Amino acid sequence: MAQRTKLVAGNWKMHGSLASNLSLLDAVKAGAAGMACEAAVCVPYPYLAQARSVLTGSNVGWGAQDVSAHSQGAYTGEVSAAMLADFGCRYAIVGHSERRTLHGESDQLVAEKFAAALGSGLTPILCVGETLAEREAGVTDSVVTRQLEAVLANSGVAALARAVVAYEPVWAIGTGRTATPQQAQDVHAAIRARVAKDDATVAAGLQVLYGGSVKAGNAKELFGMPDIDGGLIGGASLVAADFLAICAAA
Ligand code: PGA
């Protein structure tokens, strides 16, 4: 089995202020020094400059929570991948379920955002995951595979060598309800198997993160599963001690 480094990425969502971010970023930077896992925070756009200024030279990366599919032009309100690269971003989340649901982002649009991020040298964190109704209907694997295949069709399997996938069951996000380690492992294994169908080497090296109510108390068990390579952390990434405890578990 390929040796994959664990990655713990915070997704701050629409939280923060210059003042509160400063103490959070300082604490994460100090606490993550010397940790074996990779760590990153995905902050709201206006705070990218602040993240860059605090985190440059540390072992914590930073990124955005979305990116435009377009490179430039008359797209009011959008932010391009090149702009994110300009601010030193390493990561851009694409296809978070809140974007898919609240902003109507289709599999195709997510695939285009993924390609745009890669095109500017960012590492896309591609989110996939099923709703509760889909899980109960027994179609989890087909939903996740469909979301993944849109990217495979648009960018090709080699692109996944420069990307991260995050499995985030929609019913577990922000709900306090976590997938059991085995439930998550099963989907992670299915994701890796689907990628392996196209390229076994890319599949073996692919970091597949779990997201959905990861806390200090459940991280170790989740990250102990063979195909879980870290986490995408929402709520718990807003409290430095919690986020660092999750990093330590990785
Ligand atoms: P949560 O969010 O950890 O608060 O459940 C995860 C996410 O939405 O990325």
Side-chain angles (χ1 to χ4, degrees):
M1 206 180 80
Q3 198 49 47
R4 294 180 297 270
T5 313
K6 294 252 191 304
L7 166 63
V8 177
N11 171 12
W12 287 9
K13 309 196 181 188
M14 200 169 74
H15 294 289
S17 66
L18 283 173
S20 67
N21 299 346
L22 189 58
S23 50
L24 179 53
L25 289 168
D26 273 337
V28 167
K29 174 181 164 173
M35 282 213 190
C37 72
E38 296 172 18
V41 289
C42 294
V43 305
Y45 291 135
Y47 301 125
L48 285 171
Q50 185 188 28
R52 176 173 67 166
S53 124
V54 175
L55 299 176
T56 295
S58 77
N59 63 343
V60 181
W62 60 96
Q65 300 166 16
D66 186 27
V67 63
S68 176
H70 304 285
S71 56
Q72 62 171 355
Y75 301 102
T76 302
E78 294 278 275
V79 175
S80 75
M83 292 171 184
L84 299 181
D86 232 359
F87 279 85
C89 285
R90 189 178 308 160
Y91 298 101
I93 298 174
V94 298
H96 190 279
S97 70
E98 285 150 22
R99 303 290 317 172
R100 292 180 190 262
T101 309
L102 305 175
H103 301 271
E105 293 192 7
S106 65
D107 292 341
Q108 182 56 34
L109 178 61
V110 171
E112 287 166 17
K113 290 182 169 198
F114 180 99
L118 264 188
S120 288
L122 306 176
T123 300
I125 300 177
L126 169 69
C127 296
V128 298
E130 82 289 2
T131 62
L132 185 58
E134 288 164 339
R135 172 158 288 265
E136 285 171 348
V139 295
T140 296
D141 283 3
S142 64
V143 168
V144 167
T145 302
R146 187 200 75 221
Q147 293 169 336
L148 185 61
E149 283 178 346
V151 167
L152 288 170
N154 196 57
S155 291
V157 69
L160 282 177
R162 294 183 289 132
V164 172
V165 173
Y167 168 56
E168 297 208 310
V170 179
W171 48 271
I173 296 177
T175 58
R177 220 183 128 178
T178 321
T180 65
Q182 192 57 52
Q183 278 176 325
Q185 165 59 27
D186 290 347
V187 180
H188 283 233
I191 289 169
R192 202 177 303 286
R194 176 59 191 86
V195 176
K197 225 171 97 183
D198 289 7
D199 190 317
T201 307
V202 171
L206 179 66
Q207 285 174 320
V208 185
L209 312 185
Y210 170 78
S213 299
V214 178
K215 306 272 180 268
N218 59 22
K220 208 173 174 62
E221 222 193 328
L222 284 161
F223 299 165
M225 302 308 280
D227 286 295
I228 301 185
D229 307 309
L232 183 56
I233 318 301
S237 73
L238 299 171
V239 179
D242 292 351
F243 184 68
L244 289 167
I246 294 168
C247 291

